[in-house]
Amino acid sequence: MTNSRVGVAVRLSAGAVIAAVLVVGAAAGIAFAWMPHTASPPSRLVEPAAADSQLTCSGPLLAIGRDANAPQKISAVAAEHVTATGADQKRNTLASPDASGASGVTRLVTPAQHRAAPIAAGAASASITADDVAGFAASSCAPALMESWLVGGSTDTGAADLVLLANPGSVPATVQLTLYGTDGVQEPGPGGTVIVAAGTQQVVPLAGMGLNQGAPIVRVTATGAPVRAALQSSIVRGLQPGGVDQSGVIAAASTTQVITGVRVTAEPQADPTSIVRLLAPTAGATASVTVIGVHGTTGPAVEVPLKAGAPVEAELPALAPGDYTVVVTADQPVVAAAWQATGTGKDADFAWVTSAPALPSGEAGTVFSVPAGPSPQLVLVADADAAVSLTRVDGGGAQKVTVVAGQTASVPLAAGTSYRLTTDQPVRAAVAFAAAGALAAYPVWPQDAASAPLRVYP
């Protein structure tokens, strides 16, 4: 072999050896992480800008049928009085074209502070004494939801109940109202679908969805924009008004509903004054209803069988005056609310008390407002012993209360102010009012949580 050919062969052999070494080295590097085999894309965590808080109140008390020439005409008969808190909070009103004489529905807008979720709360109350409607009502100002449940009211003779639908947003909302009655889900009537223009409240008579329904429950489903739903209930027995109430919603069905803030003001009477209404929307269920007082469980649990889609009412055991919690547990998701009355005769009033969500523990706490009203109290219940502290937003010393697990506790509040509640264990709470001829209660809802950080990839 010539020298030139030998040189070429040597070079080719050396190249092959070097290539083989590089392949083996690269494979070993990958196996032992000496060199990366994939490149991680660059990214960073970004905290989304917090949204403004937008709360909508129930609006003034309304009456229907005052004009004999226009029996379906709705009139505003008592203004709402709002107590609220929030940094740089602004108040404005939503138009209420269905109600003559209405000054509007209060909307509370609290801007976000940099990237922190705003802390805001509000509540409203109203009272009236008239021939066709009388009593006291109080409810919290609440966020709009895409779906919610109204548990309460009636379309029997003497009832004049109204579904209140407010759209605080900037685009129209299409709302589907589905009534669950004696025979299950009712076919939507003329009032089954409602267009709620942006910045307005629409009022729908409950009787327009189905007559002779003694225990209706309404599912509210919105598309296009969320709505803030509420139910105004009133009753006239014979010629005497028997009370008025504005109740909020239940956000979702669940296997446990905890209804706290039930205030019994009188000794047991011949007519029932404590009732719970229940519905299993999608499947038959068996519900267990337990009443918890200041000393724990009161009497045995009441077992209530439920057919899918058919509301049921159960009378609660005779209760002595005091504050109570009604706990409903079921083997299928249910919605529930309690009806409590001061009586069924002259100068009586009633309240529909809806379930209370759990308030989280921690230093941030929960802010809530207490409007004008008689003898307000905060009623609390917890699954584990909880140390609760209440501090007035406008200053002042803290009130402290220990909530013993499985017992209902209460603490007096000042009307027309707002509080921050902190607790070392989750609790459920409601603001309740009571006096002669006046009864109302609403649950305390937790503040909206800040959005979680997002990982952004360029």
Side-chain angles (χ1 to χ4, degrees), residues 41-448:
S43 65
R44 61 192 180 99
L45 284 175
V46 175
E47 292 188 10
D52 295 346
S53 167
Q54 192 162 241
L55 305 175
T56 308
C57 306
S58 298
L61 290 179
L62 306 174
I64 185 172
R66 284 192 163 186
D67 187 343
N69 296 319
Q72 296 302 311
K73 183 178 179 180
I74 298 170
S75 305
V77 294
E80 62 177 354
H81 300 282
V82 178
T83 298
T85 184
D88 299 323
Q89 189 177 77
K90 293 182 175 59
R91 295 189 187 189
N92 49 45
T93 56
L94 307 181
S96 187
D98 292 333
S100 65
S103 57
V105 178
T106 301
R107 174 174 53 188
L108 306 169
V109 179
T110 307
Q113 303 296 317
H114 304 294
R115 293 191 176 273
I119 304 299
S125 63
S127 61
I128 185 173
T129 301
D131 293 339
D132 56 345
V133 57
F136 172 78
S139 59
S140 63
C141 305
L145 301 173
M146 299 302 292
E147 181 173 292
S148 54
W149 295 83
L150 294 169
V151 182
S154 170
T155 65
D156 282 344
T157 301
D161 297 351
L162 303 168
V163 175
L164 312 175
L165 302 171
N167 177 3
S170 57
V171 297
T174 302
V175 181
Q176 180 69 50
L177 300 175
T178 305
L179 185 141
Y180 294 76
T182 306
D183 299 321
V185 179
Q186 305 295 300
E187 290 296 325
T193 301
V194 183
I195 306 298
V196 186
T200 69
Q201 182 193 62
Q202 299 294 318
V203 182
V204 180
L206 186 60
M209 301 178 60
L211 293 174
N212 302 318
Q213 296 293 335
I217 291 177
V218 178
R219 180 183 179 183
V220 182
T221 307
T223 56
V227 296
R228 196 280 194 190
L231 177 67
Q232 180 181 306
S233 307
S234 63
I235 186 73
V236 174
R237 300 183 181 94
L239 298 177
Q240 293 182 342
V244 66
D245 184 60
Q246 287 181 329
S247 56
V249 301
I250 297 167
S254 67
T255 55
T256 301
Q257 298 279 345
V258 180
I259 306 163
T260 194
V262 177
R263 299 190 74 179
V264 178
T265 61
E267 296 294 338
Q269 304 176 29
D271 294 326
T273 56
S274 302
I275 293 172
V276 64
R277 183 178 298 180
L278 311 96
L279 169 71
T282 57
T286 298
S288 178
V289 180
T290 304
V291 180
I292 299 173
V294 294
H295 301 298
T297 302
T298 301
V302 177
E303 299 295 319
V304 183
L306 301 172
K307 291 173 57 178
V312 172
E313 287 190 339
E315 184 179 345
L316 298 178
L319 300 172
D323 296 322
Y324 295 90
T325 299
V326 178
V327 179
V328 178
T329 57
D331 51 8
Q332 295 290 335
V334 297
V335 292
W339 177 82
Q340 181 63 41
T342 61
T344 56
K346 185 179 179 180
D347 299 327
D349 196 17
F350 66 85
W352 280 102
V353 189
T354 56
S355 57
L359 305 179
S361 58
E363 295 181 358
T366 301
V367 172
F368 65 95
S369 296
V370 184
S375 303
Q377 292 207 66
L378 185 70
V379 185
L380 303 122
V381 69
D383 293 332
D385 290 356
V388 175
S389 178
L390 291 174
T391 305
R392 289 179 59 144
V393 171
D394 59 4
Q399 296 173 262
K400 298 185 181 299
V401 59
T402 298
V403 183
V404 178
Q407 297 182 8
T408 297
S410 60
V411 58
L413 301 171
T417 191
S418 299
Y419 291 84
R420 182 183 298 274
L421 180 154
T422 56
T423 175
D424 63 350
Q425 296 290 335
V427 299
R428 300 172 191 264
V431 177
F433 302 82
L439 196 67
Y442 57 86
V444 176
W445 281 35
Q447 263 73 57
D448 291 335

